[in-house]
Every structure is written in structure tokens, then in C-alpha cells.
């Protein structure tokens, strides 16, 4: 308690070095005498700890170092505590303590598509059209599809892997390592998710997706019955991949009366507008945690369905409900560098 109070006083004093003891006391709602005594001792010893022999290091950092650290962080927030410590010949724990005291925490940077200025303006124009002409007008389900790749050895699915142990490394190798194999076998997974919370049947293959395969397996066999199971209109928002907008496919949309988001309304390279990306990320993470190795397409399908079930209709609805809001936020923000992102924490 005593130590905490002393630290508070010193901190306040370092923030406002020109203030008198009375003013600091008033600010901290502490007796002036106490404040004066602590600061006096601090100036004499440059420490708030009463006994230097106590088994604890000084909790204050000299002002000069603190200033340097803050200034450098402001200039380059990518530097680690260790980088800063090396730069100023300090201990990294001192750097960490200093920044934490200033409320500077460490965060992981998120992936952001790297767009050119020209692409950015296309994104703006199309997002605006999409918002005005579809999202705020259409009063039905929004159905989104996409494809992703999953390694046959789930343990090799990219992403972080964690293990629980009482000590680092104290688990068998298969839990503590990621065995990376560049040529590992993988499957292509295709699926659609809808704003009502339902998912289409999954399509798993080890072939490359072509317009023909897409039309036959995805559109005809899975999308069409799915749309027809609705008793209200459905707007289909396919992925931007060219095979989803080929001539054959466009004709199919027309023939089957499938309403779809036209190509020229779709912001390019904008995964943050497509919650299905988040859906993939969650599914991949859950599969990875299983650590299984599947042998064939059937086994892959079974596993995928098992994992997909862990996200219920409410979960899918929640993901899909963010589309309009995310685009509205994006359009309302003038800062070009700001893109609200779906992949915040998965
Ligand atoms: Zn629906």
C-alpha cells in the first residue's frame, strides 16, 4: 500500500515536474507533507523503494530514459521491448514497465490487403454502389460462397498452435511442433453461408475449380436447392473469382432466375466485407486443434461437417449481420488507411 502510494506520487511528479508539492497533493488527494517527503526522497535516491537491500529492483526509471523510450515508440511503434532495451542499453523489463505505466500495450498487427491508390478508389465507388443499390434496398437473404484449401494433415493448417503444459516443451513432439511439409496434400472446400444462418452443403474436391465444375457441383447441386428452400428472395454474392462470372455461369444465373450481385458492384480485394473469410478462419482453427490426418475426400467431408456444426445458425447469422455495418463504417470513414477488418481475433 505504502509502496503503491509512493509510486503514484512519483509518477504524478514525473508527469508534472514543475508542479509544487501542494498542487500535486491536491491532485492526488493526499496530505501535502507526504507528497513532499516522497518527492524529496525520490530526488535524493532516485528510487521510491525505502530499503535498497530489499529483494526488488527500483520501480522507477530515470526520466531521461523514459522520455527516450516514449519518443522512440512514437516514431516507430513496431520496435519490441528488446529492440528498445538494446538501443538504450537498458533491461527489457524496464522498457516494458515504462511503457505499461504510460498505458502502452502490445498488440498483434492484423493482415491487411495491400491495395494501390487506384484500387482504393475502385473499392470506394463499388462499396458505395453495393451499399446503396443492394444492401440497403434488398429485403431478403444474402448468400455468400467461397472456396478455401485445407491440408489433409490438420496439424499443418497455417496458424498458431498452442499447447498446455506445466513447463515449456513438456509434452510429446506432435503437440509442441508444427511439422511443415511444403507439398502436403490438401483439399479444396467450397461452401456458402446465408444471412438467415443456414449453410449450404459442402463440396470437397482435390481438383482445381473451373467454371464447369463450379456450375455443376456448386451452383446446380448445392446453391439452387438451397435458394429454393427459402420462402423469401435470396441475393447471391459469389466470390470474385473469374470462374464465378464466366459466360456459362452468368447464363446459368439468368436461366435459373438467380439474383446475384453483379461483378461491377463488388469491391475487389476486400475480404473484410466478406464474413465467410472469418468463417473459414474459425473452421480452420477448429480443425487444426483436432490434429487429425484424413485420407480421402469422404473423410474430409465428414470432418468438415462435424466442425461446421460447431457454428450454429445463430453464429452464422451473427457473422453475416456485420456486412452492412462494416461497409457503412468503411464509407463513413474519411481516413484512407482505415479499414474495419473482420479478422480481428479468430
Ligand atoms: Zn437464407
Amino acid at each position: 500500500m505504502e509502496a503503491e502510494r509512493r509510486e503514484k506520487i512519483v509518477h504524478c511528479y514525473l508527469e508534472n515536474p514543475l508542479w509544487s508539492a501542494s498542487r500535486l497533493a491536491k491532485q492526488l488527494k493526499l496530505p501535502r507533507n507526504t507528497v513532499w517527503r516522497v518527492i524529496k526522497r525520490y530526488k535524493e535516491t532516485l528510487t521510491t523503494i525505502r530499503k535498497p537491500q530489499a529483494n526488488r529492483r527500483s520501480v522507477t526509471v530515470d526520466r531521461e530514459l523514459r522520455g527516450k523510450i516514449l519518443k522512440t515508440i512514437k516514431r516507430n511503434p513496431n520496435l519490441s521491448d528488446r529492440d528498445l532495451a538494446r538501443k538504450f542499453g537498458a533491461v527489457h523489463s524496464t522498457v516494458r514497465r515504462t511503457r505499461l505505466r504510460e498505458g502502452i500495450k502490445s498488440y498483434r498487427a492484423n493482415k491487411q490487403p495491400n491495395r494501390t491508390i487506384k484500387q482504393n478508389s475502385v473499392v470506394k465507388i463499388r462499396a458505395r454502389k453495393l451499399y446503396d443499390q443492394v444492401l440497403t434496398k434488398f429485403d431478403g437473404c444474402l448468400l455468400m460462397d467461397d472456396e478455401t484449401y485445407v491440408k489433409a494433415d490438420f496439424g499443418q493448417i497455417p496458424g498458431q498452435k498452442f499447447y498446455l503444459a506445466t513447463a515449456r516443451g513438456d509434452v510429446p513432439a506432435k503437440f509442441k511442433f508444427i511439422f511443415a511439409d511444403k507439398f502436403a496434400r490438401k483439399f479444396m472446400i467450397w461452401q456458402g453461408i446465408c444471412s438467415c444462418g443456414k449453410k449450404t452443403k459442402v463440396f470437397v474436391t482435390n481438383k482445381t475449380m473451373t467454371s464447369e465444375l463450379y456450375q455443376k457441383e456448386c451452383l446446380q447441386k448445392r446453391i439452387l436447392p438451397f435458394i429454393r428452400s427459402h420462402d423469401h428472395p435470396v441475393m447471391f454474392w459469389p466470390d470474385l473469382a473469374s470462374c464465378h462470372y464466366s459466360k456459362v455461369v452468368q447464363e446459368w444465373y439468368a436461366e435459373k432466375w438467380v439474383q446475384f450481385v453483379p461483378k461491377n458492384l463488388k469491391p475487389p480485394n476486400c475480404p473484410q466485407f466478406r464474413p465467410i473469410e472469418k468463417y473459414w478462419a474459425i473452421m480452420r482453427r477448429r480443425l487444426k486443434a483436432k490434429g487429425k490426418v484424413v485420407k480421402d475426400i469422404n473423410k474430409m467431408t465428414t470432418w468438415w461437417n462435424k466442425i461446421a456444426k460447431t457454428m450454429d445458425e445463430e453464429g452464422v447469422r451473427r457473422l453475416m449481420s456485420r456486412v452492412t455495418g462494416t461497409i457503412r463504417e468503411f464509407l463513413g470513414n474519411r481516413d484512407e488507411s482505415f479499414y474495419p477488418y473482420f479478422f480481428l481475433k479468430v
Side-chain angles (χ1 to χ4, degrees):
M1 217 35 232
E2 253 314 282
E4 212 177 284
R5 195 170 69 172
R6 272 199 302 276
E7 204 180 323
K8 216 163 98 184
I9 295 169
V10 171
H11 181 67
C12 189
Y13 163 69
L14 290 176
E15 288 281 322
N16 312 286
L18 299 175
W19 286 14
S20 67
S22 323
R23 195 164 168 200
L24 288 167
K26 214 168 157 189
Q27 170 87 10
L28 293 163
K29 296 194 179 71
L30 288 171
R32 187 198 157 273
N33 267 348
T34 314
V35 172
W36 184 83
R37 207 173 17 148
V38 169
I39 294 171
K40 181 165 175 280
R41 195 179 310 120
Y42 171 75
K43 281 182 184 164
E44 285 165 358
T45 61
L46 272 182
T47 172
T48 54
I49 295 294
R50 208 181 274 266
K51 303 180 201 110
Q53 70 270 30
N55 191 19
R56 217 186 129 189
R57 254 182 287 156
S58 160
V59 288
T60 54
V61 185
D62 74 86
R63 268 189 281 171
E64 203 188 331
L65 179 62
R66 173 181 161 274
K68 277 193 222 162
I69 290 172
L70 296 182
K71 215 168 135 189
T72 313
I73 290 178
K74 208 166 178 185
R75 217 178 311 129
N76 182 0
N78 280 139
L79 292 173
S80 70
D81 291 342
R82 277 170 210 279
D83 293 336
L84 289 161
R86 203 176 315 119
K87 194 172 165 111
F88 300 123
V91 189
H92 84 270
S93 61
T94 307
V95 173
R96 184 181 139 80
R97 207 167 50 231
T98 307
R99 68 163 170 80
L100 283 178
R101 203 175 291 157
E102 302 297 323
I104 302 170
K105 287 174 242 152
S106 169
Y107 300 95
R108 205 166 69 193
N110 291 312
K111 274 188 200 158
Q112 189 80 279
N114 199 359
R115 291 193 215 91
T116 61
I117 292 168
K118 191 175 167 224
Q119 264 180 325
N120 272 340
S121 73
V122 173
V123 168
K124 277 253 152 106
I125 294 163
R126 290 194 183 177
R128 168 56 67 193
K129 282 192 198 162
L130 180 66
Y131 185 77
D132 291 344
Q133 297 174 24
V134 180
L135 298 176
T136 52
K137 292 278 182 325
F138 185 73
D139 192 26
C141 265
L142 189 63
L143 167 63
M144 201 171 265
D145 80 335
D146 195 13
E147 55 224 34
T148 190
Y149 287 93
V150 170
K151 300 262 171 75
D153 175 357
F154 295 167
Q156 292 201 26
I157 295 171
Q160 293 187 66
K161 183 171 170 178
F162 300 95
Y163 61 88
L164 299 173
T166 49
R168 183 184 292 274
D170 198 14
V171 287
K174 71 167 192 169
F175 296 116
K176 65 180 168 184
F177 299 127
I178 298 174
F179 296 101
D181 174 1
K182 215 173 148 188
F183 304 102
R185 221 151 61 87
K186 57 188 180 182
F187 296 104
M188 199 210 72
I189 312 271
W190 171 94
Q191 197 167 29
I193 56 173
C194 196
S195 52
C196 61
K198 293 196 175 68
K199 308 179 195 101
T200 68
K201 285 198 173 117
V202 65
F203 172 56
V204 181
T205 181
N206 46 23
K207 296 189 195 116
T208 327
M209 190 67 103
T210 59
S211 305
E212 290 71 33
L213 194 64
Y214 182 64
Q215 190 209 344
K216 185 168 158 251
E217 293 295 335
C218 305
L219 295 178
Q220 189 67 37
K221 280 197 196 159
R222 291 166 174 87
I223 287 287
L224 197 59
F226 183 81
I227 291 178
R228 291 192 174 157
S229 73
H230 283 69
D231 50 15
H232 55 264
V234 176
M235 175 71 75
F236 182 40
W237 180 352
D239 177 35
L240 198 58
S242 55
C243 68
H244 299 181
Y245 284 96
S246 69
K247 196 162 168 263
V248 194
V249 170
Q250 298 236 31
E251 278 168 11
W252 184 89
Y253 291 143
E255 190 192 313
K256 305 292 177 196
W257 295 83
V258 170
Q259 293 192 78
F260 66 98
V261 179
K263 204 173 173 179
N264 64 353
L265 291 196
K266 296 204 326 188
N269 202 5
C270 282
Q272 77 271 31
F273 297 155
R274 296 191 32 101
I276 195 160
E277 300 279 355
K278 171 93 178 174
Y279 172 72
W280 294 141
I282 295 168
M283 292 302 115
R284 271 197 294 259
R285 194 192 57 200
R286 290 182 185 169
L287 271 179
K288 189 181 173 71
K290 294 287 174 195
K292 296 271 176 200
V293 181
V294 290
K295 287 190 189 69
D296 53 38
I297 290 175
N298 285 340
K299 282 268 159 36
M300 183 68 237
T301 312
T302 310
W303 266 103
W304 184 268
N305 286 333
K306 207 181 209 170
I307 295 298
K309 252 194 212 139
T310 61
M311 190 187 285
D312 60 8
E313 291 194 3
E314 180 52 38
V316 175
R317 265 201 298 277
R318 212 177 306 131
L319 276 187
M320 290 297 288
S321 69
R322 291 163 68 178
V323 176
T324 310
T326 306
I327 296 187
R328 184 177 32 233
E329 229 175 278
F330 166 78
L331 289 169
N333 203 305
R334 286 182 195 185
D335 179 2
E336 288 291 327
S337 65
F338 176 80
Y339 292 98
Y341 214 67
F342 269 114
F343 302 91
L344 282 179
K345 266 224 156 87
V346 289

